[in-house]
Amino acid sequence: MKLGHLGLGLQKKMSHLILLFSLFLAPAFADGRSQKSTENLCSNDVSHKRQKRDWIWNQLHIQEELDTPLPHHVGKITSSVRNKNAKYIIEGEFANTIFKVEETSGDVYAFERLDREKKAEYELTALIIDRTNNRSLERPSRFIIKVYDINDNAPVFVHKVFNGSVPEMSPVGTSVTKVTAVDADDPTVSGHATVTYEVTTGGEYFTIDDSGVIYTKEPNLDRETKSTYEIVVQAKDAPGFSGDSSTATVIIALSDINDNSPEFKHSSFHFKVPENVSVGGEVGRVKVEDIDEPQHRNTRYSFIQGEFRDTFDIVANPYTNEGIIRPKKPLDFEAVSEYRFSIEATDPTVNLRHFKPGNPRSIASVVIEVTDVDEPPVFRRLPYEFKVRENHVEVKTLGSVHAEDPDAAKRKIRYIQRRANPNGDYVRVSNNGVIQLPKPLDREFSSSYNITVAAVEILEDGRLSDRESHAHVHVIVDDVNDNAPELVSPEEPRVCENAAPGKVIVRISAVDKDETSPRGFFRYSLATEDSNFSLIENYDNTANITVKYGQFNRELVKFHYLPVLISDNGDPDLTSTNTLLISVCKCNEKGNFTFCEERAKQVGVSIQALVAIFICIFTIIVIVLLILLRRRHKKDLSGLGRSVAEIHEQLVTYDEEGGGEMDTTSYDVSVLNSVRKNGLKAEPTPSPYAQVQKPPGNITPGAGGMEMMIEVKKDEADNDRDLLPYDTLHIYGYEGAESIAESLSSLGSGSSDSDIDYDFLNDWGPRFKMLAELYGSEPSEDFVY
């Protein structure tokens, strides 16, 4: 309580000092402003002398949160004007609301308690007027009311929760994070806005300074033991002032460092692996535990016991940190069936400053058991290479290949040829592995021959195993000098008629299919010495053909055939005779060729060109045949269409009628016979209708006449291609005799002899009106029947 009273007394004394200080400064401020105002007035009216007037007041101050009754006296505004009607007025922010002035005395009062943290000062304007006419007696003047602070606010943290982090095992005094608290009081007043910090919870691990920075207090903060700390920090006023305070929570996470070594989860590991595991394949995995975070796990595995470093390798998986055991060379059950060794797991990147002494080494024993599998045969010597001279007829066998069964069964082996290069039956392999030559080899065809031989085990039941191994056999053919050199044809060697002796016509060269002789170059010579040409060797496998005498005569010889002998200096020495064709040409004075005879060139057509020509010819023939068939087909269709359309125009008409459907006993065939004698064709009548007449009653029909006529018509239709098809309707005008209905033809219905009356058609209605008009009236005399 005494300390509280003492602090309150000091606060009041400081407020009084500030008030006195303002009393001394305010008059000077007012005097300066009033003096300036007066000078302005004097400059405006220098002709009138008046008494100097000025505002007289002290700078106004008031303390915040006064606990005395309202209103609170702020200060007094006074002017040197002497006028009994003078009236004081204030204007500005919160004038006549919070602040009011006594009109006659100029005392200013505050009618509300002020809070400096809301507003620290107020700017107002003072006026003095004549109350009788409201005229201004003095120029307005601005003044400020300042609110003095009292330490009435506690510091407040800007966040309720702060986060920070620090590496584990950091030394004492390592900065973790910074917290901030803000005091709303006036920072210009000593002690009012000063904030002090203190760790109230977790102070045994962390500490904080007056600026809010948190530091480590314990050197051995281990993330693997505890990864997160939650502390409470308090912020309060400076000592000697109010004891108000606030708190905040700080969550501190320990970040990981590599300070732990890996340890095997098991002291021993046992694996089984077949002997045919591939080199680099996986045998098994050993697992370790590293309590550091994944980014700080860098386990390395090494052998410490056992002589198998050249057989196996252990590689760490970067994702799982496991150790993968892989074979470095093929395993053989028959040689070694079990491997035993010890391995150690370490981490070379562990921070030695934080290495924990006394940690045991992480060592584990490993047993790898190799299991037996049926392996393919194994060739003892790879690759196989044999040499033979070309065209050597006596050599039939080059050697043999040999493979063994590596398993304990030791089965027999059969050898099979799989591939050959070049393709063909040039090199063979027998069932027992003998490499044979069915015929002599030609080095010019191929300088080497390669075959792939497969070795397959023969099972107990005589079948071949599906597992096999391969060996490559390489046969090299040594060269024999069996080919003479050949002339490389130059491009049309030519010589001028007037060429001078010694003129170089062409440089010739040669090629030899055999290997180059180690004894030197080719030898060139002319087969005849009586020619107008000479040969000079260049000793670089070329020679020059030159003019010997000169003065060629094109009128006598246009082409010269020069025989050239070429020897290869081989063993044995082979020589070839080659013919060089030289053209004699006309030349100008500069020796340039102006005219040469065209050489007879052999014109040949390749097989591909012949095939293309034959294909084109065949295609043309097929197209022509298709066009002809199409035209024939169109012609047939058009003929058939015309036959169908003109069927009514091809009616065969006769002058006699038959006896009707009742005339089945006899026919009058005399008319048919007469028609047959006249060519079986009737002359057309001028009438548009063919008139059919009844045969006389005394005509005796012939028994076989009709049959003969039908046979003749059939034969004629069968042999005449221009007639209609066989199923075409043939119409005959002969009907026979003794028909009750007589003639069914309508051609004779219009004759004058008819006694049929068609007037009854008029009674049948409008539908038969046309028929009634046609048949009911008398026929015209101009109508021809």
Side-chain angles (χ1 to χ4, degrees):
M1 293 294 292
K2 291 181 179 180
L3 292 175
H5 288 296
L6 179 60
L8 184 59
L10 291 174
Q11 181 178 355
K12 290 181 178 180
K13 290 180 178 179
M14 291 184 66
S15 299
H16 292 162
L17 290 173
I18 294 172
L19 182 59
L20 291 174
F21 179 74
S22 62
L23 291 176
F24 284 105
L25 292 178
F29 176 75
D31 291 343
R33 297 186 64 180
S34 61
Q35 182 179 357
K36 184 177 181 181
S37 177
T38 305
E39 291 176 356
N40 292 335
L41 291 174
C42 294
S43 61
N44 291 334
D45 190 5
V46 296
S47 60
H48 296 84
K49 293 182 179 180
R50 50 188 299 184
Q51 186 179 0
K52 180 180 179 182
R53 297 179 299 178
D54 199 358
W55 287 101
I56 302 174
W57 62 61
N58 296 324
Q59 188 173 4
L60 305 183
H61 303 272
I62 185 171
Q63 183 177 326
E64 67 171 336
E65 302 293 349
L66 289 176
D67 55 358
T68 58
L70 294 172
H72 299 151
H73 184 264
V74 178
K76 186 181 184 66
I77 57 174
T78 306
S79 175
S80 58
V81 174
R82 296 293 179 261
N83 190 335
K84 62 179 180 179
N85 295 324
K87 177 182 178 182
Y88 292 97
I89 300 174
I90 59 173
E91 294 178 352
E93 51 184 350
F94 302 103
N96 300 317
T97 54
I98 296 179
F99 301 101
K100 295 181 181 181
V101 63
E102 207 283 325
E103 297 179 354
T104 57
S105 63
D107 291 319
V108 180
Y109 295 91
F111 284 81
E112 290 184 9
R113 288 183 173 83
L114 304 180
D115 188 355
R116 192 203 66 84
E117 284 70 38
K118 292 182 178 179
K119 192 169 181 62
E121 59 183 30
Y122 299 86
E123 185 175 351
L124 301 172
T125 302
L127 300 93
I128 183 170
I129 62 175
D130 189 339
R131 70 177 66 246
T132 59
N133 53 18
N134 290 332
R135 293 180 58 186
S136 177
L137 301 177
E138 185 64 75
R139 295 184 63 181
S141 178
R142 290 184 300 171
F143 66 95
I144 296 175
I145 299 176
K146 290 188 176 181
V147 182
Y148 284 127
D149 179 54
I150 62 172
N151 195 1
D152 58 343
N153 292 279
V156 178
F157 284 98
V158 295
H159 302 292
K160 290 294 182 181
V161 179
F162 293 86
N163 292 284
S165 65
V166 64
E168 63 174 332
M169 311 301 291
S170 295
V172 175
T174 302
S175 175
V176 179
T177 187
K178 182 178 181 179
V179 297
T180 303
V182 179
D183 194 333
D185 291 323
D186 190 355
T188 62
V189 180
S190 176
H192 281 204
T194 302
V195 181
T196 60
Y197 299 93
E198 181 183 359
V199 179
T200 58
T201 302
E204 63 273 23
Y205 302 110
F206 302 94
T207 184
I208 189 171
D209 62 8
D210 290 340
S211 63
V213 179
I214 300 175
Y215 300 92
T216 58
K217 190 176 181 180
E218 175 64 32
N220 297 320
L221 298 177
D222 191 358
R223 187 196 68 85
E224 287 72 32
T225 302
K226 186 176 181 180
S227 61
T228 305
Y229 292 85
E230 186 174 317
I231 65 174
V232 177
V233 180
Q234 184 185 53
K236 59 183 179 179
D237 276 331
F241 291 89
S242 65
D244 295 334
S245 63
S246 62
T247 60
T249 301
V250 182
I251 300 175
I252 301 174
L254 298 182
S255 58
D256 184 52
I257 64 172
N258 193 2
D259 60 339
N260 293 279
S261 298
E263 296 181 4
F264 283 107
K265 290 186 177 181
H266 306 285
S267 59
S268 62
F269 297 90
H270 186 273
F271 304 103
K272 285 186 177 182
V273 60
E275 62 176 335
N276 62 346
V277 63
S278 61
V279 175
E282 184 174 327
V283 174
R285 297 192 177 197
V286 294
K287 297 183 179 181
V288 296
E289 183 178 9
D290 192 339
I291 58 178
D292 288 327
E293 292 185 351
Q295 67 271 18
H296 294 141
R297 298 172 186 171
N298 302 294
T299 304
R300 297 293 181 268
Y301 299 90
S302 58
F303 296 93
I304 59 174
Q305 291 180 2
E307 299 299 328
F308 303 112
R309 296 183 180 181
D310 59 340
T311 305
F312 296 98
D313 189 17
I314 305 179
V315 180
N317 187 308
Y319 302 102
T320 63
N321 213 32
E322 298 173 320
I324 304 174
I325 302 177
R326 304 180 188 275
K328 297 170 64 176
K329 62 182 182 180
L331 304 181
D332 189 356
F333 170 80
E334 288 72 24
V336 180
S337 61
E338 186 178 85
Y339 297 87
R340 293 179 177 270
F341 50 85
S342 297
I343 58 175
E344 181 181 12
T346 58
D347 189 346
T349 61
V350 170
N351 194 331
L352 298 180
R353 292 186 306 166
H354 309 295
F355 180 73
K356 301 177 179 62
N359 286 352
R361 297 172 63 187
S362 182
I363 299 175
S365 61
V366 179
V367 177
I368 298 177
E369 182 181 347
V370 182
T371 59
D372 188 24
V373 295
D374 185 13
E375 298 177 272
V378 177
F379 285 95
R380 296 305 179 188
R381 181 169 65 92
L382 291 174
Y384 292 90
E385 184 175 292
F386 304 97
K387 290 186 177 182
V388 62
R389 294 185 64 186
E390 68 171 324
N391 301 324
H392 203 305
V393 295
E394 297 179 359
V395 177
K396 300 294 184 182
T397 302
L398 298 179
S400 62
V401 295
H402 181 69
E404 294 180 355
D405 182 7
D407 299 321
K410 301 298 180 184
R411 298 187 179 98
K412 293 183 178 180
I413 307 298
R414 178 176 295 177
Y415 302 91
I416 304 172
Q417 180 176 330
R418 292 302 187 197
R419 289 178 294 275
N421 184 25
N423 292 327
D425 188 19
Y426 302 105
V427 182
R428 297 177 183 174
V429 60
S430 64
N431 291 339
N432 56 1
V434 177
I435 304 301
Q436 301 172 343
L437 296 180
K439 58 184 178 181
L441 301 180
D442 186 5
R443 194 202 70 85
E444 283 68 43
F445 174 74
S446 179
S447 61
S448 64
Y449 296 81
N450 299 278
I451 63 171
T452 301
V453 179
V456 186
E457 295 179 3
I458 303 176
L459 303 178
E460 288 74 8
D461 57 358
R463 295 182 299 106
L464 296 180
S465 173
D466 56 353
R467 300 178 62 82
E468 61 182 44
S469 57
H470 301 89
H472 296 283
V473 178
H474 183 55
V475 179
I476 300 175
V477 183
D478 292 335
D479 184 43
V480 174
N481 191 21
D482 56 349
N483 292 278
E486 298 177 358
L487 177 67
V488 178
S489 299
E491 294 184 0
E492 298 185 3
R494 297 176 294 178
V495 63
C496 293
E497 280 185 300
N498 56 354
K503 172 68 175 179
V504 177
I505 300 174
V506 68
R507 172 176 288 189
I508 61 174
S509 60
V511 293
D512 195 341
K513 295 180 181 178
D514 296 321
E515 293 180 354
T516 303
S517 173
R519 295 193 295 174
F521 302 104
F522 297 134
R523 295 195 310 270
Y524 298 88
S525 61
L526 297 179
T528 178
E529 296 293 336
D530 57 353
S531 66
N532 197 9
F533 301 96
S534 60
L535 185 146
I536 301 175
E537 291 198 46
N538 298 322
Y539 300 102
D540 59 354
N541 277 336
T542 64
N544 292 337
I545 303 298
T546 62
V547 177
K548 189 174 183 180
Y549 305 112
Q551 299 303 321
F552 295 93
N553 190 350
R554 290 187 69 258
E555 303 300 330
L556 298 177
V557 180
K558 293 183 176 62
F559 300 99
H560 290 269
Y561 296 89
L562 183 65
V564 180
L565 302 179
I566 306 176
S567 176
D568 60 4
N569 286 320
D571 185 17
D573 191 352
L574 298 180
T575 303
S576 65
T577 302
N578 305 268
T579 302
L580 185 64
L581 179 60
I582 302 176
S583 303
V584 180
C585 304
K586 291 183 179 181
C587 300
N588 56 20
E589 295 178 354
K590 296 181 179 180
N592 297 327
F593 298 106
T594 58
F595 178 76
C596 292
E597 295 291 339
E598 291 291 335
R599 300 188 181 190
K601 296 183 179 180
Q602 182 180 0
V603 180
V605 181
S606 63
I607 297 177
Q608 293 83 354
L610 289 175
V611 171
I613 292 172
F614 285 134
I615 291 175
C616 293
I617 294 174
F618 179 76
T619 304
I620 293 173
I621 293 174
V622 171
I623 293 173
V624 171
L625 291 176
L626 292 175
I627 293 174
L628 293 176
L629 291 174
R630 181 174 179 84
R631 289 182 177 178
R632 177 73 177 274
H633 183 65
K634 287 184 176 180
K635 182 177 180 181
D636 293 343
L637 292 178
S638 62
L640 179 60
R642 289 195 303 270
S643 299
V644 174
E646 298 173 2
I647 187 170
H648 298 289
E649 297 179 2
Q650 296 184 12
L651 296 177
V652 182
T653 60
Y654 301 94
D655 295 334
E656 297 294 334
E657 292 186 3
E661 64 272 11
M662 298 300 296
D663 187 7
T664 58
T665 58
S666 62
Y667 298 90
D668 186 6
V669 297
S670 59
V671 178
L672 294 177
N673 289 334
S674 63
V675 173
R676 180 169 56 85
K677 290 178 181 180
N678 294 328
L680 297 176
K681 293 184 180 180
E683 294 295 331
T685 61
S687 173
Y689 300 97
Q691 184 176 4
V692 181
Q693 297 180 356
K694 291 178 60 178
N698 56 357
I699 296 178
T700 304
M706 179 63 71
E707 182 179 359
M708 183 181 296
M709 186 274 296
I710 293 174
E711 291 297 332
V712 171
K713 295 296 291 183
K714 285 176 59 180
D715 184 67
E716 183 183 39
D718 292 339
N719 297 323
D720 192 349
R721 293 185 178 181
D722 295 333
L723 294 179
L724 298 177
Y726 300 138
D727 57 352
T728 301
L729 177 64
H730 290 266
I731 303 174
Y732 302 92
Y734 186 78
E735 296 183 5
E738 298 182 2
S739 174
I740 298 176
E742 296 183 348
S743 177
L744 300 179
S745 175
S746 61
L747 298 178
S749 60
S751 63
S752 59
D753 296 337
S754 176
D755 55 356
I756 300 176
D757 186 7
Y758 293 99
D759 292 338
F760 64 90
L761 294 176
N762 295 321
D763 300 333
W764 284 12
R767 292 185 179 181
F768 297 91
K769 181 180 181 180
M770 182 62 69
L771 290 176
E773 291 178 355
L774 292 175
Y775 291 94
S777 60
E778 291 295 329
S780 175
E781 295 180 357
D782 298 333
F783 189 81
V784 181
Y785 291 96

